[in-house]
Amino acid sequence: MNLSLNRLSRFENNFTFQFLQSLQVLDLRGNLFVQIPKDIFHAQNLSVLSLSQNLLESLPENIFSLPNLTFLDLSQNINLQLKNGTNSSWTSCQTLEELYLSSLNLQEIPKDISNLSLLKKLDLSKNQLSELPEEIGFLTNLESLFLFQNRLLDLPENLTQLKQLKFLDLNINDLQTFPIFDLPNLEYLDVTANPSVPVVDISFLPSLTTLWVSCRVAPDSLSETNVVDFYVSNQKDYVLPEVSTRIQRLHYYNLTTLQWPSVFYEQTFPNLTYVLLHDEKNSVPFPDWVLNAPNLEYLHLWGAFHGTIPTELGMFSNLLRFTLVTAPNIYGTLPTELGLLTKIQTLTLTDIENLTGSLPSELGRLADNLQNIVIDLKAKNFSSLLPYEYLKMNSAPICKFDGSFECQASGLLENHICNVQCQGKTLEGTWQIANESFCQPFPYSALM
């Protein structure tokens, strides 16, 4: 039964769960319930119960005695007070496999959480936890543990007993160290935004494929690991570890110094499809090593890169998104070879104030798949004309250009019926021209 997102605050007076004994799924999330009827215990076959995003202040004790309940979501009930301590009722539901307790202002977890022996997924994120009980190590069937945005100072040593654990999120805590854990099945680990952690040792995490950190990694080379998705952020003078040619996704965010290992230039990365590089504080060369990733699909560059945009970018025949923003030290022209990126769906070029030349007419070739194009260069020595070929971009839901551009062409675009005024000239179609008089995105739905 799905009654979610209806702003319900209560059931009718004659409502009873006695007539719903065969009910298996009850979704009440996103309502205004303050309490749940006590006779919910009559729904003996209930296996999935979602009560998140309500105004619950308490729960009927017998809700935790439902014999077939495997899924319980109590998240985002800011007034809900769960009993802690020995014999806490919410830890008596021994059939549970998934339990969501996010955003409940929890300050401690009772030791008898070990009663939930069948639990596979536990979400304790966005609470006020400073420690975890040692008994959490008895949840030997646990596969996913969400602990992000708490106040954890350390982790219990017997966390290493969670041999089935595949997903561990510790983002935004106060950890002082990250212990060396022997977790043979762990695939995903996020330890970002723990500023006191000096190093994360993944030597005993043989199945790890996704790693998010804000510190040094041991071993120094990831080339002998199975990590294919690597994210590192907010590090000063960080020397990037070598990565395997199997790498698929690289995220380097807000690094004050980007020092590329020689392996980036010496090897080809045939599996690399996603690259995000962000450095706004230091001027570093345009990362032309990305040319060694012939199957790249997403290239996002933010920051103080210097140099020219390589013409070789046109060889990325599979590129779907290209973003280059806040790059005042990029100079030269926009390569006409960008017109070869015929699969591209999103093209964003903003705050590249030292570019010269003009918009290549070849970009008109991108019309078939283009969904979003934003060009706001703020470049003083750049031609202000929009080429006639750009009128082909009639299917792009978002098409935004700097207000300094003038409309070189006009005419009714196919299937579109709206006119937009741009500096006294009429441009017809899906375009948004950003200037003082018209700076809001035009609703695409109005064009159809």
Side-chain angles (χ1 to χ4, degrees):
M1 179 187 297
N2 187 351
L3 299 176
S4 63
L5 307 174
N6 279 304
R7 300 186 63 81
L8 300 174
S9 59
R10 62 182 179 85
F11 291 106
E12 295 294 334
N13 292 333
N14 59 351
F15 177 85
T16 176
F17 281 98
Q18 292 184 11
F19 302 114
L20 296 173
Q21 296 184 21
S22 61
L23 184 66
Q24 296 183 359
V25 177
L26 179 58
D27 188 351
L28 298 176
R29 60 191 164 86
N31 282 294
L32 303 172
F33 286 105
V34 175
Q35 60 183 9
I36 301 299
K38 294 181 179 180
D39 72 341
I40 192 173
F41 183 71
H42 291 292
Q44 291 284 291
N45 288 303
L46 194 64
S47 63
V48 174
L49 178 57
S50 180
L51 300 171
S52 65
Q53 303 174 54
N54 276 279
L55 302 174
L56 294 175
E57 296 178 354
S58 62
L59 295 169
E61 293 291 324
N62 58 16
I63 200 173
F64 301 108
S65 300
L66 290 167
N68 294 295
L69 193 63
T70 60
F71 178 105
L72 178 60
D73 189 353
L74 301 175
S75 298
Q76 299 184 54
N77 282 278
I78 58 175
N79 298 319
L80 181 61
Q81 297 294 320
L82 289 179
K83 292 182 180 180
N84 286 333
T86 306
N87 298 320
S88 303
S89 57
W90 65 272
T91 59
S92 64
C93 192
Q94 299 184 22
T95 57
L96 276 180
E97 296 181 4
E98 297 188 32
L99 178 59
Y100 299 85
L101 301 175
S102 176
S103 303
L104 296 182
N105 200 34
L106 293 175
Q107 297 184 22
E108 61 177 328
I109 300 299
K111 294 181 179 181
D112 52 359
I113 192 174
S114 58
N115 292 337
L116 307 179
S117 58
L118 298 181
L119 208 59
K120 294 182 179 179
K121 184 175 291 187
L122 177 59
D123 185 356
L124 298 171
S125 62
K126 298 184 179 180
N127 283 295
Q128 304 296 319
L129 301 173
S130 59
E131 62 179 358
L132 297 175
E134 289 285 339
E135 286 75 9
I136 201 169
F138 295 121
L139 303 178
T140 54
N141 287 301
L142 201 62
E143 296 179 358
S144 298
L145 181 55
F146 299 84
L147 294 167
F148 66 88
Q149 205 165 323
N150 276 283
R151 298 178 177 179
L152 294 173
L153 296 170
D154 54 29
L155 298 172
E157 292 183 4
N158 67 353
L159 203 67
T160 196
Q161 295 176 207
L162 304 180
K163 300 301 184 183
Q164 302 304 314
L165 196 64
K166 297 179 180 179
F167 184 103
L168 179 58
D169 191 345
L170 296 162
N171 179 33
I172 313 179
N173 276 281
D174 297 318
L175 293 176
Q176 302 301 300
T177 61
F178 183 78
I180 298 177
F181 288 124
D182 181 8
L183 297 171
N185 290 300
L186 193 68
E187 299 174 358
Y188 180 105
L189 175 62
D190 187 348
V191 200
T192 51
N194 285 272
S196 297
V197 174
V199 62
V200 171
D201 194 327
I202 62 172
S203 301
F204 297 94
L205 306 176
S207 299
L208 193 67
T209 57
T210 301
L211 176 61
W212 292 53
V213 296
S214 299
C215 62
R216 190 171 66 84
V217 178
D220 293 332
S221 174
L222 299 179
S223 58
E224 301 302 320
T225 71
N226 289 312
V227 173
V228 294
D229 188 345
F230 181 52
Y231 176 105
V232 61
S233 67
N234 300 312
Q235 278 294 292
K236 183 179 181 180
D237 300 327
Y238 187 82
V239 178
L240 298 174
E242 293 187 357
V243 295
S244 164
T245 56
R246 298 186 301 274
I247 201 77
Q248 297 175 9
R249 296 168 64 90
L250 287 174
H251 321 239
Y252 298 139
Y253 187 79
N254 201 25
L255 304 184
T256 58
T257 303
L258 286 174
Q259 302 177 29
W260 308 117
S262 60
V263 66
F264 280 82
Y265 294 93
E266 297 169 354
Q267 298 184 9
T268 300
F269 299 92
N271 299 305
L272 187 59
T273 60
Y274 183 104
V275 172
L276 183 152
L277 308 177
H278 177 277
D279 181 358
E280 291 187 353
K281 297 182 179 180
N282 297 279
S283 181
V284 294
F286 189 94
D288 53 1
W289 60 263
V290 299
L291 301 176
N292 292 337
N295 296 309
L296 204 61
E297 296 178 0
Y298 301 88
L299 178 58
H300 305 281
L301 305 176
W302 277 270
F305 300 103
H306 66 254
T308 60
I309 302 175
T311 59
E312 290 87 351
L313 286 180
M315 76 177 188
F316 289 130
S317 58
N318 293 314
L319 197 65
L320 301 177
R321 295 185 182 181
F322 177 43
T323 299
L324 179 60
V325 300
T326 318
N329 297 315
I330 293 292
Y331 55 87
T333 61
L334 284 176
T336 59
E337 287 79 3
L338 293 179
L340 299 176
L341 305 175
T342 54
K343 290 185 179 180
I344 202 162
Q345 298 174 359
T346 298
L347 177 62
T348 303
L349 304 170
T350 65
D351 298 314
I352 318 174
E353 56 194 46
N354 286 312
L355 278 182
T356 57
S358 61
L359 292 173
S361 60
E362 287 81 0
L363 292 187
R365 302 171 184 169
L366 310 181
D368 289 344
N369 294 303
L370 199 62
Q371 297 176 6
N372 301 282
I373 179 168
V374 177
I375 298 181
D376 189 2
L377 302 177
K378 296 181 174 61
K380 297 179 180 179
N381 298 314
F382 200 86
S383 172
S384 61
L385 290 179
L386 293 178
Y388 177 83
E389 289 80 2
Y390 283 35
L391 288 179
K392 299 176 183 178
M393 299 177 185
N394 61 352
S395 61
I398 298 177
C399 202
K400 177 181 176 181
F401 286 81
D402 185 292
S404 62
F405 288 108
E406 297 178 0
C407 312
Q408 187 180 35
S410 64
L412 185 64
L413 290 178
E414 183 180 359
N415 297 326
H416 298 332
I417 57 174
C418 100
N419 296 330
V420 175
Q421 292 295 319
C422 168
Q423 297 182 344
K425 300 182 180 181
T426 298
L427 185 65
E428 300 172 338
T430 62
W431 307 88
Q432 173 194 345
I433 307 297
N435 56 30
E436 293 182 358
S437 61
F438 187 87
C439 59
Q440 299 298 321
F442 199 87
Y444 181 60
S445 59
L447 304 175
M448 303 306 292

